[in-house]
Amino acid sequence: MILDSLNHIDCYRGVHPRIWDALQLLRTDLSALADGRYELDGERIYYMIQTYTTRPVNDLPEAHRRYADIQCVLSGAECIDVGDLAQMTEVEAHPERDLWLYHGRLDRLTMIPGLF
C-alpha cells in the first residue's frame, strides 16, 4: 500500500504504465462527474465515482489480485482501515470479481482530498 499526496505523483512515473496513467487522471477535476464507472482504457484502466456514507467500522477489508485499487477522496474525509495481508485470514474469495475479503489487525488512516 502507498499513501501519498497528489503533489508527489511524479515520483511514481516509472512504477507501471497503467498505474501512471491512472495517477495522471487524479490531476484532473473529477468533481463534476456523476456517480458511475468510467473507462480510461477499457477493462485495463477504469475508475468509479461513488458518493456514499462511510461505515464506522470495516469488518471485512478487501484485496484485489488483478487490479490495483487507487483510492482518492474528492470531498469530505473518509477513514479507511489497512492491514498486512500476510497477517490476515481469508474469509471469502470472489475471483470472478477480483475480490478477496479478510479478517485481521487493521490500522486506520484518514483520507482527505489531495491524498491517494
Side-chain angles (χ1 to χ4, degrees):
M1 192 203 112
I2 295 169
L3 173 65
D4 207 341
S5 164
L6 294 176
N7 295 327
H8 302 143
I9 283 178
D10 288 327
C11 296
Y12 301 92
R13 183 180 300 269
V15 171
H16 189 281
R18 287 192 297 268
I19 289 176
W20 175 247
D21 290 345
L23 289 173
Q24 288 293 91
L25 176 70
L26 297 179
R27 288 183 160 160
T28 65
D29 182 9
L30 301 170
S31 63
L33 293 176
D35 283 12
R37 178 183 159 129
Y38 298 86
E39 292 185 354
L40 188 62
D41 184 13
E43 287 292 312
R44 294 167 57 102
I45 305 173
Y46 66 90
Y47 61 99
M48 295 172 25
I49 303 291
Q50 299 173 311
T51 303
Y52 54 87
T53 302
T54 60
R55 295 179 291 170
V57 176
N58 182 5
D59 294 348
L60 289 172
E62 65 183 50
H64 310 281
R65 296 181 183 166
R66 183 171 178 210
Y67 290 100
D69 192 354
I70 301 172
Q71 304 285 328
C72 185
V73 173
L74 300 180
S75 66
E78 180 176 15
C79 291
I80 62 170
D81 297 322
V82 298
D84 180 0
L85 269 182
Q87 303 300 314
M88 298 278 184
T89 302
E90 185 177 300
V91 176
E92 291 181 42
H94 304 276
E96 72 284 355
R97 294 173 40 211
D98 187 38
L99 178 66
W100 283 261
L101 302 174
Y102 294 86
H103 278 300
R105 184 181 162 286
L106 300 170
D107 293 302
R108 179 153 286 191
L109 300 173
T110 301
M111 297 294 294
I112 57 172
L115 297 179
F116 70 95

mmCIF file of all heavy atoms in Angstrom, residues 75-97:
data_model
loop_
_atom_site.group_PDB
_atom_site.id
_atom_site.type_symbol
_atom_site.label_atom_id
_atom_site.label_comp_id
_atom_site.label_asym_id
_atom_site.label_seq_id
_atom_site.Cartn_x
_atom_site.Cartn_y
_atom_site.Cartn_z
ATOM 1 N N SER A 75 -14.082 14.952 -1.919
ATOM 2 C CA SER A 75 -14.560 15.938 -0.951
ATOM 3 C C SER A 75 -14.851 15.233 0.362
ATOM 4 O O SER A 75 -15.115 14.034 0.392
ATOM 5 C CB SER A 75 -15.819 16.656 -1.472
ATOM 6 O OG SER A 75 -16.894 15.750 -1.568
ATOM 7 N N GLY A 76 -14.781 15.995 1.435
ATOM 8 C CA GLY A 76 -15.009 15.412 2.750
ATOM 9 C C GLY A 76 -13.799 14.642 3.230
ATOM 10 O O GLY A 76 -12.665 14.956 2.880
ATOM 11 N N ALA A 77 -14.049 13.621 4.018
ATOM 12 C CA ALA A 77 -12.987 12.776 4.565
ATOM 13 C C ALA A 77 -13.540 11.371 4.734
ATOM 14 O O ALA A 77 -14.746 11.180 4.875
ATOM 15 C CB ALA A 77 -12.504 13.312 5.905
ATOM 16 N N GLU A 78 -12.651 10.393 4.679
ATOM 17 C CA GLU A 78 -13.048 9.011 4.901
ATOM 18 C C GLU A 78 -11.946 8.287 5.650
ATOM 19 O O GLU A 78 -10.774 8.381 5.288
ATOM 20 C CB GLU A 78 -13.311 8.299 3.569
ATOM 21 C CG GLU A 78 -13.732 6.859 3.759
ATOM 22 C CD GLU A 78 -14.086 6.146 2.463
ATOM 23 O OE1 GLU A 78 -13.745 6.645 1.380
ATOM 24 O OE2 GLU A 78 -14.690 5.077 2.559
ATOM 25 N N CYS A 79 -12.328 7.585 6.704
ATOM 26 C CA CYS A 79 -11.378 6.735 7.405
ATOM 27 C C CYS A 79 -11.365 5.390 6.699
ATOM 28 O O CYS A 79 -12.417 4.813 6.430
ATOM 29 C CB CYS A 79 -11.777 6.563 8.860
ATOM 30 S SG CYS A 79 -11.598 8.066 9.820
ATOM 31 N N ILE A 80 -10.180 4.928 6.371
ATOM 32 C CA ILE A 80 -10.044 3.603 5.769
ATOM 33 C C ILE A 80 -9.126 2.777 6.663
ATOM 34 O O ILE A 80 -8.224 3.304 7.313
ATOM 35 C CB ILE A 80 -9.516 3.652 4.314
ATOM 36 C CG1 ILE A 80 -8.115 4.263 4.244
ATOM 37 C CG2 ILE A 80 -10.467 4.413 3.420
ATOM 38 C CD1 ILE A 80 -7.470 4.107 2.882
ATOM 39 N N ASP A 81 -9.395 1.505 6.695
ATOM 40 C CA ASP A 81 -8.599 0.593 7.500
ATOM 41 C C ASP A 81 -7.722 -0.235 6.577
ATOM 42 O O ASP A 81 -8.200 -0.743 5.557
ATOM 43 C CB ASP A 81 -9.517 -0.324 8.312
ATOM 44 C CG ASP A 81 -10.362 0.463 9.301
ATOM 45 O OD1 ASP A 81 -9.837 1.431 9.877
ATOM 46 O OD2 ASP A 81 -11.532 0.110 9.500
ATOM 47 N N VAL A 82 -6.460 -0.353 6.924
ATOM 48 C CA VAL A 82 -5.496 -1.089 6.110
ATOM 49 C C VAL A 82 -4.740 -2.066 6.994
ATOM 50 O O VAL A 82 -4.613 -1.867 8.204
ATOM 51 C CB VAL A 82 -4.501 -0.137 5.399
ATOM 52 C CG1 VAL A 82 -5.230 0.787 4.443
ATOM 53 C CG2 VAL A 82 -3.695 0.667 6.402
ATOM 54 N N GLY A 83 -4.255 -3.132 6.381
ATOM 55 C CA GLY A 83 -3.500 -4.113 7.145
ATOM 56 C C GLY A 83 -2.586 -4.922 6.252
ATOM 57 O O GLY A 83 -2.698 -4.891 5.023
ATOM 58 N N ASP A 84 -1.707 -5.658 6.864
ATOM 59 C CA ASP A 84 -0.739 -6.510 6.186
ATOM 60 C C ASP A 84 -1.421 -7.826 5.796
ATOM 61 O O ASP A 84 -1.846 -8.592 6.669
ATOM 62 C CB ASP A 84 0.435 -6.772 7.118
ATOM 63 C CG ASP A 84 1.507 -7.652 6.524
ATOM 64 O OD1 ASP A 84 1.368 -8.097 5.364
ATOM 65 O OD2 ASP A 84 2.497 -7.902 7.231
ATOM 66 N N LEU A 85 -1.557 -8.080 4.493
ATOM 67 C CA LEU A 85 -2.220 -9.302 4.031
ATOM 68 C C LEU A 85 -1.577 -10.565 4.597
ATOM 69 O O LEU A 85 -2.265 -11.556 4.843
ATOM 70 C CB LEU A 85 -2.200 -9.376 2.508
ATOM 71 C CG LEU A 85 -3.385 -8.770 1.789
ATOM 72 C CD1 LEU A 85 -3.249 -8.966 0.283
ATOM 73 C CD2 LEU A 85 -4.695 -9.305 2.282
ATOM 74 N N ALA A 86 -0.282 -10.539 4.827
ATOM 75 C CA ALA A 86 0.399 -11.714 5.368
ATOM 76 C C ALA A 86 -0.091 -12.044 6.775
ATOM 77 O O ALA A 86 0.045 -13.173 7.236
ATOM 78 C CB ALA A 86 1.914 -11.496 5.373
ATOM 79 N N GLN A 87 -0.688 -11.067 7.446
ATOM 80 C CA GLN A 87 -1.187 -11.259 8.803
ATOM 81 C C GLN A 87 -2.707 -11.452 8.835
ATOM 82 O O GLN A 87 -3.298 -11.525 9.908
ATOM 83 C CB GLN A 87 -0.813 -10.047 9.663
ATOM 84 C CG GLN A 87 0.667 -9.753 9.713
ATOM 85 C CD GLN A 87 1.465 -10.908 10.276
ATOM 86 O OE1 GLN A 87 1.102 -11.488 11.280
ATOM 87 N NE2 GLN A 87 2.566 -11.262 9.621
ATOM 88 N N MET A 88 -3.338 -11.515 7.671
ATOM 89 C CA MET A 88 -4.793 -11.622 7.583
ATOM 90 C C MET A 88 -5.221 -13.069 7.349
ATOM 91 O O MET A 88 -4.449 -13.890 6.858
ATOM 92 C CB MET A 88 -5.322 -10.777 6.414
ATOM 93 C CG MET A 88 -5.053 -9.308 6.536
ATOM 94 S SD MET A 88 -6.285 -8.590 7.586
ATOM 95 C CE MET A 88 -5.838 -6.883 7.477
ATOM 96 N N THR A 89 -6.481 -13.337 7.660
ATOM 97 C CA THR A 89 -7.105 -14.620 7.379
ATOM 98 C C THR A 89 -8.170 -14.404 6.314
ATOM 99 O O THR A 89 -9.061 -13.569 6.490
ATOM 100 C CB THR A 89 -7.765 -15.192 8.656
ATOM 101 O OG1 THR A 89 -6.773 -15.321 9.666
ATOM 102 C CG2 THR A 89 -8.410 -16.538 8.379
ATOM 103 N N GLU A 90 -8.071 -15.147 5.217
ATOM 104 C CA GLU A 90 -9.057 -15.019 4.145
ATOM 105 C C GLU A 90 -10.399 -15.566 4.619
ATOM 106 O O GLU A 90 -10.478 -16.646 5.185
ATOM 107 C CB GLU A 90 -8.584 -15.773 2.908
ATOM 108 C CG GLU A 90 -9.488 -15.584 1.711
ATOM 109 C CD GLU A 90 -8.957 -16.285 0.478
ATOM 110 O OE1 GLU A 90 -7.828 -15.959 0.040
ATOM 111 O OE2 GLU A 90 -9.680 -17.165 -0.025
ATOM 112 N N VAL A 91 -11.446 -14.788 4.380
ATOM 113 C CA VAL A 91 -12.794 -15.167 4.792
ATOM 114 C C VAL A 91 -13.643 -15.560 3.592
ATOM 115 O O VAL A 91 -14.376 -16.543 3.632
ATOM 116 C CB VAL A 91 -13.473 -14.006 5.563
ATOM 117 C CG1 VAL A 91 -14.903 -14.336 5.921
ATOM 118 C CG2 VAL A 91 -12.670 -13.645 6.802
ATOM 119 N N GLU A 92 -13.557 -14.774 2.529
ATOM 120 C CA GLU A 92 -14.332 -15.038 1.319
ATOM 121 C C GLU A 92 -13.460 -14.754 0.102
ATOM 122 O O GLU A 92 -12.647 -13.840 0.138
ATOM 123 C CB GLU A 92 -15.558 -14.128 1.228
ATOM 124 C CG GLU A 92 -16.635 -14.389 2.226
ATOM 125 C CD GLU A 92 -17.812 -13.444 2.037
ATOM 126 O OE1 GLU A 92 -18.197 -13.207 0.863
ATOM 127 O OE2 GLU A 92 -18.330 -12.957 3.045
ATOM 128 N N ALA A 93 -13.694 -15.517 -0.954
ATOM 129 C CA ALA A 93 -12.987 -15.289 -2.215
ATOM 130 C C ALA A 93 -14.009 -15.202 -3.338
ATOM 131 O O ALA A 93 -14.890 -16.058 -3.451
ATOM 132 C CB ALA A 93 -11.995 -16.412 -2.484
ATOM 133 N N HIS A 94 -13.880 -14.158 -4.139
ATOM 134 C CA HIS A 94 -14.727 -13.965 -5.321
ATOM 135 C C HIS A 94 -13.812 -13.620 -6.501
ATOM 136 O O HIS A 94 -13.771 -12.479 -6.953
ATOM 137 C CB HIS A 94 -15.744 -12.837 -5.082
ATOM 138 C CG HIS A 94 -16.604 -13.051 -3.881
ATOM 139 N ND1 HIS A 94 -17.743 -13.821 -3.923
ATOM 140 C CD2 HIS A 94 -16.484 -12.614 -2.599
ATOM 141 C CE1 HIS A 94 -18.301 -13.842 -2.719
ATOM 142 N NE2 HIS A 94 -17.558 -13.125 -1.901
ATOM 143 N N PRO A 95 -13.035 -14.603 -6.986
ATOM 144 C CA PRO A 95 -12.062 -14.316 -8.044
ATOM 145 C C PRO A 95 -12.688 -13.747 -9.315
ATOM 146 O O PRO A 95 -12.054 -12.950 -10.010
ATOM 147 C CB PRO A 95 -11.394 -15.660 -8.316
ATOM 148 C CG PRO A 95 -12.019 -16.653 -7.425
ATOM 149 C CD PRO A 95 -13.010 -15.978 -6.552
ATOM 150 N N GLU A 96 -13.913 -14.119 -9.608
ATOM 151 C CA GLU A 96 -14.573 -13.593 -10.801
ATOM 152 C C GLU A 96 -14.795 -12.086 -10.706
ATOM 153 O O GLU A 96 -14.925 -11.403 -11.715
ATOM 154 C CB GLU A 96 -15.911 -14.322 -11.044
ATOM 155 C CG GLU A 96 -17.023 -13.993 -10.069
ATOM 156 C CD GLU A 96 -16.905 -14.647 -8.677
ATOM 157 O OE1 GLU A 96 -15.988 -15.458 -8.436
ATOM 158 O OE2 GLU A 96 -17.757 -14.329 -7.829
ATOM 159 N N ARG A 97 -14.813 -11.557 -9.499
ATOM 160 C CA ARG A 97 -14.966 -10.112 -9.266
ATOM 161 C C ARG A 97 -13.658 -9.473 -8.807
ATOM 162 O O ARG A 97 -13.644 -8.308 -8.427
ATOM 163 C CB ARG A 97 -16.053 -9.867 -8.220
ATOM 164 C CG ARG A 97 -17.428 -10.285 -8.694
ATOM 165 C CD ARG A 97 -18.501 -10.220 -7.614
ATOM 166 N NE ARG A 97 -18.405 -9.068 -6.750
ATOM 167 C CZ ARG A 97 -18.793 -9.073 -5.467
ATOM 168 N NH1 ARG A 97 -19.286 -10.170 -4.925
ATOM 169 N NH2 ARG A 97 -18.686 -7.988 -4.743
#
